[in-house]
């Protein structure tokens, strides 16, 4: 996982993303106010596609009440690939279902381009969903599945056919358009589900762990495919996943969720390099946690002392005032081993060496008893080799250590 | 090393012989009945030679025609009404939020399966006698259709409900997500996928109504003789192989009906 993270390059940003449907023969929804066959057309396309304002969702009654979402607020920008990331039961799917309209919030508003859609039934929201199970209609062909949404919108037959043909091309499924959905493979079903949800040109596309049923290789392919589709269509994607690697590689921004709350929203780099809370640091990537005491601080940087009396400068999140005993976080690839224990920020004994091909993980038992993992990228000219049992020092890169809220 | 013992039930000792005995007990009497329908003699126990004459006399028999007509009118009406009721009930009990009395409703629908048929028959008879005596109401053959509809509902309900419960609810969410109103989602998604369930429900209801004897015997008025009642009346007289011929015709109709509905269900399920 970490290998992919290190190799990750920023996704190429197109100079401008043409709105999907431009340069095509009058097939896209006109940006006018009003309604199309009962489905609302937002009045003024604003900067935010979706604004979730103070949404609560409570299941059950009385003593059995469980808050699946605990006063969540988040803004999702237009044309953004936005990911809701968290472990199962964190409320990410509940939030998606509220946006889709399969459930209604106990409190709060969900604004779509400035209009509250929270009380609308799903068939009146210009929002489409790609389901985890795909939910393709088994009694219809691939083409009929893709055309279903347009048909329900009451579009003329010629327009439906043109759009279906265009969608089949977009997901490269032209050859299989007359097949029943039971006669195509899982990866192909996934493409049909995508085409079906994109065909009505929703304002927002919701994706509920759509890749989880695919095998590893296909999943990798579909990750790239999804990014391409998002670029080509210019539609806002809200993607739900529990796979942190998927979230980091695909998203423009990520919201990390836990126990019905959003803990942090930011770009993959923000989330990975500057986690706001211990949960975020722990959930995303591999992390070392160290205990220390704050001895002094300047704005944004605190000096933290370890039990070994060594000190380190550590950044901390905005709006957080670290004092006394704190937890420091250091990513394994932001530290390196030095042969001389005295030259390291901290020191310990090498307990295990795990070779991964592209890099090597050194497990160090610190003098304080904690474990610390150092990830070293392998190269042809690694100057030093280490043996288990050796006394080593660990040096942090500049800005590697951060103080976290627990 | 010895071959591991198979856990396939077909390989268990005694399986074959028990299976053969079961099949013989089930089908030998029916087979004998069918064979004797071809008997050229006039006894159902003494074989003399082969003839199709009993079929001819059965098909020319005016009473048989009337009984067949009554049976078809009652069975088809009861099948249609009970299947519609059962479909609505199944949807109301699987596609809505749980409501108070859901379990009770389930019980009531399935009551005819649990109450001994003779009790239902006596109760139905008393009920019709009561409304005839109190309000002067008699629906004629409608009485029988009503009685049959009631006991057909649970038979139609079971496969329809099973199909609804097996159906992926996400499909209905997907339809709503793709701008289908609840009615359109039902018409375009739920109903087409429910057809195999409805077909097997209707087939079951038809068969149950077609050969009902106990309730029909008590409720039927003059001129409302159905095929099972006709056969019953015939065997109280000196029996001829004509009754075998009639029974065989009934059997073939049943087999035909079940096969057709099975084939439709299998084709639709794909």
């Amino acid at each position: 996982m970490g290998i992919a993270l290190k190799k990750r390059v920023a996704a190429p940003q197109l100079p401008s993303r043409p709105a999907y449907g431009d340069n095509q023969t009058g097939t896209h929804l006109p940006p006018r106010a009003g309604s199309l066959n009962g489905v609302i057309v937002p009045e003024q396309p604003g900067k935010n596609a979706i604004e979730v304002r103070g949404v609560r969702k409570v299941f059950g009654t009385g003593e059995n009440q469980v808050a699946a979402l605990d006063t969540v607020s988040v803004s999702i920008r237009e044309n953004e690939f936005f990911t809701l990331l968290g472990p199962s039961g964190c409320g990410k799917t509940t939030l998606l279902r509220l946006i889709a309209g399969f459930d209604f919030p106990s409190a709060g508003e969900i604004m779509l381009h400035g209009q509250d859609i929270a009380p609308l039934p799903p068939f009146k929201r210009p929002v489409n969903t790609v389901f985890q199970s795909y939910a393709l209609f088994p009694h219809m062909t691939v083409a009929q599945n893709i055309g279903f949404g347009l048909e329900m919108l009451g579009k003329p037959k010629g327009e439906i056919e043109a759009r279906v043909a265009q969608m089949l091309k977009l997901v490269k499924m032209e050859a299989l358009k007359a097949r029943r959905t039971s006669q195509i493979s899982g990866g192909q079903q996934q493409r049909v589900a995508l085409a079906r949800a994109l065909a009505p040109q929703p304002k927002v596309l919701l994706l509920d762990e759509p890749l989880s049923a695919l095998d590893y290789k296909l999943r990798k392919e579909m990750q790239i495919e999804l990014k391409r589709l998002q670029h080509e269509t210019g539609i806002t994607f809200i993607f739900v996943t529990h796979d942190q690697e998927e979230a980091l590689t695909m998203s423009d921004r990520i919201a990390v969720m836990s126990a019905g709350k959003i803990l942090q929203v930011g770009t993959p780099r923000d989330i990975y390099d500057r986690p706001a809370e211990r949960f975020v640091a722990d959930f995303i990537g591999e992390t070392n946690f160290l205990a220390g005491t704050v001895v002094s601080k300047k704005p944004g940087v605190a000096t933290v002392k370890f039990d070994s009396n060594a000190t380190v400068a550590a950044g901390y999140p905005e709006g957080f005032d670290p004092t006394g005993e704190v937890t420091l976080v250091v990513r394994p690839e932001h530290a390196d081993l030095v042969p001389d224990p005295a030259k390291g920020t901290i020191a310990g004994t090498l307990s295990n060496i795990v070779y991964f091909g592209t890099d090597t993980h050194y497990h160090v038992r610190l003098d304080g008893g904690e474990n610390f993992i150092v990830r070293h990228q392998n190269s042809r000219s690694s100057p030093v080799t280490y043996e288990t049992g050796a006394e080593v020092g660990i040096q942090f890169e500049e800005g590697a250590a951060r103080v976290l809220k627990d | 090393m010895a071959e591991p013992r198979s856990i396939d039930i077909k390989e268990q000792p005694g399986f074959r012989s028990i299976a053969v005995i079961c099949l013989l007990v089930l089908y030998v009497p029916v087979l004998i009945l069918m064979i004797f329908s071809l008997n050229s003699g006039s006894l159902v126990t003494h074989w003399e030679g082969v003839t199709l004459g009993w079929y001819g006399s059965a098909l020319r028999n005016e009473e048989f025609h009337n009984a067949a007509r009554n049976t078809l009118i009652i069975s088809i009406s009861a099948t249609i009404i009970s299947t519609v009721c059962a479909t609505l009930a199944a949807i109301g009990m699987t596609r809505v939020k749980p409501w108070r009395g859901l379990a009770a409703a389930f019980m009531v629908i399935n009551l005819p399966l649990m109450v001994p048929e003779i009790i239902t028959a006596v109760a139905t008879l008393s009920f019709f006698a009561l409304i005839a005596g109190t309000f002067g109401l008699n629906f004629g053959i409608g009485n029988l259709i009503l009685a049959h509809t009631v006991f057909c509902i649970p038979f139609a309900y079971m496969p329809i409900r099973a199909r609804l419960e097996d159906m992926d609810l996400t499909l209905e969410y997907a339809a709503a997500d793709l701008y289908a109103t609840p009615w359109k989602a039902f018409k375009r998604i739920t109903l087409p996928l429910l057809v195999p369930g409805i077909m097997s429900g209707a087939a079951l209801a038809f068969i149950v109504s077609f050969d009902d004897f106990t309730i029909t015997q008590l409720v039927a008025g003059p001129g409302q003789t159905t095929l099972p009642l006709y056969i019953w009346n015939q065997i109280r007289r000196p029996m001829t192989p004509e009754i075998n011929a009639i029974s065989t015709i009934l059997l073939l109709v049943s087999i035909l009906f079940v096969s057709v509905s099975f084939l439709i269900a299998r084709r639709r399920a794909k």
Side-chain angles (χ1 to χ4, degrees):
Chain A
M1 255 178 265
I3 299 161
L5 296 177
K6 269 200 150 175
K7 292 271 155 92
R8 182 180 167 275
V9 285
Q13 294 292 313
L14 296 182
S16 70
R17 290 178 184 174
Y20 180 62
D22 283 1
N23 306 326
Q24 275 142 16
T25 47
T27 48
H28 75 286
L29 294 173
R32 61 175 169 79
S35 89
L36 181 80
N37 209 29
V39 179
I40 61 148
V41 175
E43 205 160 316
Q44 281 189 335
K47 216 169 147 257
N48 286 330
I50 293 272
E51 262 179 69
V52 176
R53 293 183 186 162
V55 164
R56 266 178 74 75
K57 178 65 189 175
V58 181
F59 290 109
T61 49
E63 284 181 14
N64 299 324
Q65 270 198 356
V66 180
L69 282 177
D70 193 0
T71 326
V72 162
S73 296
V74 64
S75 296
I76 296 157
R77 295 176 198 140
E78 259 182 54
N79 297 356
E80 189 170 40
F81 197 119
F82 192 88
T83 298
L84 299 171
L85 173 66
S88 57
C90 72
K92 56 190 193 300
T93 297
T94 304
L95 183 53
L96 202 77
R97 288 175 61 85
L98 293 181
I99 297 172
F102 305 140
D103 256 321
F104 299 97
S106 311
E109 292 172 325
I110 297 170
M111 312 297 283
L112 175 78
H113 291 301
Q115 185 175 350
D116 187 11
I117 57 164
L120 294 178
F123 54 89
K124 290 200 173 152
R125 301 181 185 206
V127 166
N128 292 135
T129 308
V130 178
F131 294 88
Q132 188 169 11
S133 59
Y134 314 145
L136 298 178
F137 305 130
H139 56 304
M140 297 184 190
T141 64
V142 166
Q144 284 168 337
N145 264 281
I146 296 173
F148 188 82
L150 298 162
E151 199 187 316
M152 292 297 115
L153 283 170
K155 298 274 186 177
K157 208 166 170 237
E159 191 186 324
I160 296 176
E161 277 170 16
R163 172 60 52 75
V164 169
Q166 190 187 327
M167 283 297 143
L168 284 164
K169 196 170 166 222
L170 188 72
V171 297
K172 299 170 186 138
M173 288 287 294
E174 293 111 312
L176 302 173
K177 64 179 175 187
R179 291 273 189 94
R180 285 287 169 110
T181 55
S182 53
Q183 297 167 327
I184 57 177
S185 72
Q188 291 164 339
Q189 289 182 10
Q190 166 79 79
R191 285 161 189 275
V192 175
L194 267 166
R196 184 180 71 176
L198 284 169
Q201 292 182 316
K203 295 290 159 195
V204 175
L205 185 75
L206 308 175
L207 302 108
D208 184 10
E209 308 217 16
L211 308 182
S212 59
L214 303 178
D215 63 46
Y216 181 79
K217 194 159 173 279
L218 213 48
R219 196 158 69 230
K220 290 279 155 205
E221 273 174 40
M222 282 310 294
Q223 286 179 5
I224 295 162
E225 188 76 8
L226 272 179
K227 274 306 266 190
R228 175 180 75 86
L229 285 174
Q230 203 248 335
H231 270 296
E232 283 183 20
T233 59
I235 291 173
T236 308
F237 278 31
I238 304 180
F239 186 84
V240 161
T241 185
H242 63 265
D243 182 333
Q244 43 114 355
E245 188 196 350
E246 210 165 83
L248 290 172
T249 52
M250 295 172 75
S251 318
D252 293 325
R253 287 194 308 150
I254 299 171
V256 183
M257 296 185 69
S258 171
K261 286 187 191 292
I262 292 181
L263 302 181
Q264 188 175 4
V265 181
T267 63
R269 193 167 283 276
D270 281 341
I271 300 272
Y272 187 79
D273 284 347
R274 289 179 292 282
E277 295 187 32
R278 184 181 177 131
F279 178 89
V280 177
D282 201 15
F283 189 71
I284 307 210
E286 263 184 296
T287 309
N288 296 300
F289 293 106
L290 295 168
T293 315
V294 176
V295 288
S296 69
K297 64 194 161 201
K298 297 184 286 185
V301 185
T303 305
V304 178
K305 189 168 71 107
F306 297 114
D307 290 348
S308 61
N309 282 329
T311 59
V312 65
Y316 56 86
E318 229 175 284
F320 171 56
D321 186 27
T323 42
E325 300 268 312
V326 290
T327 304
L328 277 184
V329 60
V330 181
R331 295 286 183 193
E333 68 274 21
H334 294 161
D336 214 345
L337 292 185
V338 285
D340 180 4
K343 290 211 173 130
T345 315
I346 48 177
T349 315
L350 252 182
S351 60
N352 203 359
I353 300 172
V354 187
Y355 180 72
F356 278 93
T358 53
D359 52 19
T360 306
H361 292 193
Y362 297 98
H363 294 242
V364 181
R365 179 162 290 272
L366 299 183
D367 296 339
E370 298 138 302
N371 274 315
F372 193 101
I373 299 172
V374 172
R375 180 152 56 221
H376 182 85
Q377 183 145 13
N378 295 330
S379 69
R380 297 259 168 167
S381 56
S382 288
V384 196
T385 51
Y386 296 93
E387 304 267 335
T388 44
E391 294 286 318
V392 290
I394 298 170
Q395 259 180 358
F396 298 161
E397 280 174 22
E398 179 92 26
R402 283 184 67 78
V403 186
L404 286 189
K405 278 192 267 188
D406 269 317
Chain B
M1 225 171 80
E3 280 282 303
R5 271 189 66 165
S6 171
I7 53 156
D8 186 346
I9 189 155
K10 288 201 288 292
E11 307 293 321
Q12 300 301 312
F15 175 80
R16 264 162 215 276
S17 38
I18 292 173
V20 167
I21 289 168
C22 286
L23 289 173
L24 287 179
V25 169
L26 275 172
Y27 290 106
V28 164
V30 177
L31 219 63
I32 291 172
L33 175 107
M34 291 173 83
I35 290 167
F36 272 91
S37 73
L38 301 168
N39 188 6
S40 63
S42 59
L43 290 174
V44 295
T45 47
H46 182 72
W47 182 259
E48 287 181 28
V50 177
T51 178
L52 282 172
W54 296 114
Y55 284 92
S57 74
L59 292 173
R60 282 190 305 274
N61 183 337
E62 196 70 23
E63 285 179 58
F64 172 62
H65 288 179
N66 288 334
R69 191 181 311 118
N70 284 337
T71 302
L72 287 180
I73 290 170
I74 295 164
S75 300
I76 292 173
S77 312
T79 300
I80 293 171
I81 303 169
S82 64
T83 306
V84 169
C85 292
T87 306
L88 295 178
I91 290 166
M93 293 169 81
T94 56
R95 286 299 188 273
V96 294
K97 280 187 187 164
W99 36 283
R100 266 176 74 90
L102 188 67
F106 183 78
M107 283 289 291
V108 168
I109 283 179
N110 288 303
L111 211 58
L113 293 179
M114 288 168 256
V115 176
E117 199 182 350
I118 186 67
I119 308 287
T120 311
V122 172
T124 312
L125 175 65
S126 330
F127 174 74
F128 284 128
L130 185 73
I131 61 166
T134 316
F135 306 106
L137 282 174
N138 188 345
F139 306 114
I141 207 162
N143 279 353
L144 274 174
I145 294 175
L146 205 61
H148 277 225
T149 300
V150 170
F151 70 75
C152 282
I153 286 176
F155 290 95
Y157 175 79
M158 287 303 183
I160 296 172
R161 184 193 165 100
R163 180 87 188 165
L164 272 171
E165 282 180 341
D166 278 357
M167 208 185 288
D168 183 5
L169 262 183
T170 325
L171 293 177
E172 285 161 46
Y173 283 129
D177 188 64
L178 293 162
Y179 314 109
T181 56
W183 168 243
K184 274 189 179 164
F186 175 74
K187 209 174 66 174
R188 294 291 308 277
I189 307 300
T190 314
L191 194 58
L193 293 173
L194 196 53
V195 164
I198 293 176
M199 292 305 294
S200 35
L204 265 177
F206 182 81
I207 293 304
V208 169
S209 164
F210 190 74
D211 79 355
D212 179 72
F213 178 75
T214 315
I215 290 173
T216 314
Q217 165 79 334
L218 266 69
V219 175
Q224 296 172 1
T225 305
T226 63
L227 282 173
L229 295 193
Y230 175 74
I231 293 170
W232 168 250
N233 290 333
Q234 292 308 301
I235 61 173
R236 292 193 299 179
R237 300 176 197 160
M239 267 168 73
T240 64
E242 185 181 338
I243 209 71
N244 295 40
I246 289 173
S247 304
T248 307
I249 293 170
L250 240 73
L251 189 66
L252 294 178
V253 168
S254 300
I255 291 171
L256 184 76
F257 197 86
V258 172
S259 311
V260 165
S261 78
F262 174 76
L263 288 176
I264 291 173
R266 202 176 59 165
R267 198 171 58 86
R268 285 300 198 108
K270 287 290 144 193

